[in-house]
Amino acid sequence: MEKTLQELAAFLHGTLEHASDLKITGVNGLVEAGPTEISFAVQPYVEVCGKSRAGAMILAYGEGELRDRPVLRVENPREAFAALLELFRPREEVERVLSPLAYIADDAKVGRNVAVMPFAVIDSGAEVGDNTVIYPYTYVGRHVKVGTDCILYPHVTIRENCVVGNRDILQSGCVIGGDGFGFVTTKGKHNKVLQTGNVVLGDDVEVGCNTCIDRATVDSTIVGNGTKLDNLVHLGHNDVIGENNLFVALVGIPGSVHIGNNNTFGGQSATVGHIKIGSNNTFAGRCGVIGDVGDGQILAGFPSMPHMEWLRQQSKLRKISEISKSMRELKKQVAELQAQLEAARGGEGQ
């Protein structure tokens, strides 16, 4: 595929600077891009993007100045880059057929233009919406509802009675609706509490590889529209997660946590259970949240604290060895001064 810069400018609704007759053959990263490819840069890389071999560059309006190559100005370079990836590297089409090697229960309902690949299972009472793709070895449990335009990659498990929204993407190995971690301990023995609820995923949700979302003890564990979960994330039973949240890898949220909208949880961050977290917060990697959190905060550390306070604390911690060495030297000097003072007093007494 080849596209002129003018065609790309129209496609991205952008403005072209230093136009040329260069034909663009692909899109790539700053380091990898070649002379016939286009790349993009955002801060803090705008100042060094001129070192890239890319034949053209995508920049935001008002950021950076390049005179040695064409520049496409757009509102959001990341979004433009994503659109060009779809244009130059479209996803492989999947044949929309129901494989005879798949198991589809007689009372299951499968919509139009659906692909069910070999060895997938759609159990009794399940419903699958139009245009959904189900890869091999995926299990859609009894009375599960899957919306339209979804992608269920290999080895996805959706347990009984769970609900998957529209345009959801479930990556390989994720489990939707496994039992919540509920036990009653009596005389030292842990007795299982039946987990009778389900999981409800909103629209445009993505669940990463080997991520687990536990079914509720009663009612529903809920993940709101547009929320994205990375690989190896765990959401406990009865969690209620709002819209457009980001959970980076290895985040752990125990049971009965209520989280608002537009929060970002860095890698390996976690909370205690039974707390409420507001909206528009950022939790740095390995942050440990042990109490309720309001809105619009940036927290880090364990226990979590304002990010700037944590940075100051870490700066001081790194100086501990230096401070300790200085203290030892001061103690040595004080001891020497005390010895000299005692010697002087002894001389005066003679």
Side-chain angles (χ1 to χ4, degrees):
M1 178 187 293
E2 288 186 344
K3 293 288 183 181
T4 66
L5 290 165
Q6 289 78 9
E7 287 174 327
L8 293 184
F11 176 72
L12 297 174
H13 306 289
T15 302
L16 182 60
E17 296 177 359
H18 317 307
S20 78
D21 58 359
L22 175 68
K23 298 287 183 66
I24 298 298
T25 61
V27 57
N28 220 323
L30 276 177
V31 175
E32 299 84 3
T36 63
E37 293 180 310
I38 190 169
S39 190
F40 82 106
V42 295
Q43 296 296 353
Y45 304 105
V46 172
E47 303 307 318
V48 298
C49 70
K51 298 179 181 179
S52 172
R53 294 173 57 246
M57 193 66 60
I58 303 169
L59 297 175
Y61 289 106
E63 283 200 349
E65 186 69 27
L66 287 178
R67 298 186 180 277
D68 62 343
R69 73 196 75 189
V71 175
L72 241 172
R73 297 285 182 181
V74 296
E75 293 290 341
N76 188 330
R78 291 186 188 277
E79 186 177 333
F81 183 75
L84 290 184
L85 283 175
E86 295 278 356
L87 177 66
F88 282 101
R89 304 182 183 188
R91 295 170 184 164
E92 240 181 84
E93 282 297 320
V94 172
E95 187 179 8
R96 302 306 176 105
V97 298
L98 307 182
S99 170
L101 296 178
Y103 171 77
I104 302 175
D106 292 339
D107 61 347
K109 297 179 181 179
V110 178
R112 295 170 298 174
N113 199 38
V114 169
V116 181
M117 297 187 189
F119 311 114
V121 173
I122 301 177
D123 216 334
S124 177
E127 299 179 15
V128 178
D130 298 343
N131 306 313
T132 286
V133 176
I134 300 177
Y135 279 80
Y137 301 104
T138 286
Y139 174 68
V140 178
R142 295 179 182 178
H143 309 293
V144 163
K145 293 183 179 180
V146 177
T148 61
D149 300 287
C150 294
I151 302 175
L152 280 54
Y153 283 107
H155 296 283
V156 166
T157 298
I158 309 173
R159 288 268 304 274
E160 62 276 9
N161 301 311
C162 290
V163 178
V164 176
N166 302 315
R167 300 174 301 280
D168 288 353
I169 299 174
L170 306 186
Q171 300 286 352
S172 295
C174 72
V175 178
I176 310 300
D179 282 1
F181 195 68
F183 299 89
V184 173
T185 303
T186 305
K187 297 180 179 179
K189 182 180 179 181
H190 307 303
N191 302 295
K192 186 175 182 64
V193 175
L194 187 63
Q195 305 294 293
T196 65
N198 71 345
V199 172
V200 177
L201 304 183
D203 296 338
D204 302 298
V205 170
E206 181 158 353
V207 181
C209 296
N210 297 322
T211 282
C212 299
I213 305 175
D214 291 348
R215 69 196 307 109
T217 307
V218 293
D219 298 325
S220 299
T221 300
I222 297 173
V223 178
N225 296 338
T227 286
K228 316 294 185 184
L229 294 91
D230 197 359
N231 303 334
L232 297 168
V233 171
H234 175 236
L235 301 182
H237 54 185
N238 293 94
D239 284 344
V240 177
I241 311 298
E243 298 183 356
N244 299 314
N245 293 287
L246 293 174
F247 293 82
V248 183
L250 297 167
V251 169
I253 309 295
S256 301
V257 174
H258 286 230
I259 296 175
N261 305 323
N262 301 300
N263 295 287
T264 298
F265 290 80
Q268 297 185 329
S269 58
T271 75
V272 297
H274 301 271
I275 63 172
K276 292 183 178 180
I277 293 173
S279 298
N280 302 301
N281 297 294
T282 298
F283 301 92
R286 296 188 176 182
C287 181
V289 183
I290 62 172
D292 291 351
V293 176
D295 297 331
Q297 299 186 44
I298 302 176
L299 302 179
F302 182 84
S304 60
M305 64 188 74
H307 186 243
M308 292 306 298
E309 181 182 334
W310 179 79
L311 288 175
R312 287 191 291 268
Q313 185 184 90
Q314 292 301 304
S315 177
K316 291 174 182 177
L317 285 173
R318 290 176 183 177
K319 296 177 181 178
I320 283 180
S321 59
E322 181 182 336
I323 294 170
S324 179
K325 181 180 178 181
S326 298
M327 288 295 295
R328 287 194 299 270
E329 291 176 353
L330 284 172
K331 286 181 179 180
K332 183 179 178 181
Q333 292 174 14
V334 168
E336 290 174 351
L337 287 172
Q338 286 177 336
Q340 292 173 11
L341 182 59
E342 289 174 2
R345 287 175 178 172
E348 290 175 358
Q350 291 178 358

